[in-house]
Amino acid sequence: MVKPIPINIAVEDILSEVVIRKIIITARPSFDISSCYGKQGYDYLKQKIRGFNNASKGIPFVVLTDLESECAPNQIREWLPETKHPNFLFRIAVKEVESWLLADKEGLAHFFGINISLIPVNVDAIYDPKEFLINLARRSRKTVIREAVVPLPNTTAKVGPDYNGTLSSFVEVTWEIERAIQNSDSLRRTVNAINNFKPTISGS
């Protein structure tokens, strides 16, 4: 029996955590996620990333964030100008982790109760995936989806009252990575990177 490899993860938010956990569990079941850091937004991850890189000498780290610049390589160089440790994996969702949810067109169309034709093939090119997803929810035939995902009227909220809970449930139960990678190069590259991630543990 293969001995589990302990790793830590760091993410922007709850939804990103659920997504990266499912990817890791699916692609590399030998990894054992010990702790999740972050869930405090983009700025927190940017401030802490050098510390995570340094900490990966003791336990491997996988960090997932959204694209905040013109291209992922530029963002990686800006955030982490020093040498990346071999135990440190830094991935960027193009343009947001919601793109990866949209990439499973069949799954999301069924879950939302919408026509699959409303979801484009090249989801990585959607300018604002979160807003696009919310607008799809507005067209849902399911009242529970509209009430959970769409912001309530006369509020300043950007998402619905159970946005994270509803989409997390979609990821955990319905989202199929093998379908999604057909429509998102960004997701496919991340899955491949995790498949090829071979951290070494001191003393192992």
Side-chain angles (χ1 to χ4, degrees):
M1 183 175 179
V2 177
K3 183 179 179 180
I5 301 171
I7 67 168
N8 287 336
I9 59 175
V11 296
E12 283 194 27
D13 51 36
I14 294 171
L15 183 57
S16 296
E17 178 188 1
V18 174
V19 168
I20 199 63
R21 280 184 181 274
K22 179 154 185 176
I23 293 172
I24 291 171
I25 290 169
T26 303
R28 294 296 295 277
S30 61
F31 287 167
D32 180 24
I33 300 172
S34 299
S35 299
C36 178
Y37 295 88
K39 292 186 283 187
Q40 300 180 51
Y42 161 87
D43 289 332
Y44 176 88
L45 280 188
K46 187 174 182 180
Q47 291 167 8
K48 298 292 185 180
I49 194 164
R50 293 185 182 184
F52 295 148
N53 183 45
N54 186 60
S56 68
K57 297 173 185 176
I59 181 169
F61 262 83
V62 176
V63 175
L64 174 65
T65 190
D66 292 339
L67 183 66
E68 301 290 347
S69 64
E70 289 299 318
C71 67
N74 286 347
Q75 184 168 330
I76 291 171
R77 285 191 292 269
E78 177 191 350
W79 282 35
L80 195 64
E82 66 263 30
T83 302
K84 184 175 70 65
H85 193 277
N87 285 353
F88 186 79
L89 186 61
F90 183 23
R91 302 306 305 174
I92 296 176
V94 179
K95 294 181 179 178
E96 295 174 315
V97 75
E98 280 84 356
S99 300
W100 295 356
L101 274 59
L102 290 161
D104 180 5
K105 297 177 55 176
E106 295 89 342
L108 189 68
H110 175 75
F111 186 80
F112 268 17
I114 58 172
N115 194 306
I116 193 172
S117 65
L118 295 174
I119 308 173
V121 173
N122 186 10
V123 294
D124 289 352
I126 297 173
Y127 177 74
D128 189 338
K130 179 178 289 187
E131 185 62 27
F132 189 92
L133 189 149
I134 290 171
N135 284 332
L136 288 179
R138 295 182 198 277
R139 304 180 70 165
S140 173
R141 295 186 292 270
K142 302 177 181 180
T143 302
V144 65
I145 293 294
R146 297 194 304 271
E147 291 180 344
V149 177
V150 179
L152 296 173
N154 304 317
T155 69
T156 58
K158 294 182 179 180
V159 299
D162 195 30
Y163 180 89
N164 284 323
T166 299
L167 294 181
S168 293
S169 177
F170 164 69
V171 171
E172 291 169 343
V173 177
T174 305
W175 189 57
E176 289 289 345
I177 295 172
E178 285 301 317
R179 286 196 301 243
I181 60 175
Q182 306 304 315
N183 299 313
S184 172
D185 286 340
S186 167
L187 174 59
R188 177 179 51 80
R189 289 193 298 269
T190 291
V191 172
N192 288 341
I194 290 173
N195 269 321
N196 296 322
F197 187 37
K198 294 180 172 59
T200 57
I201 309 299
S202 298
S204 62

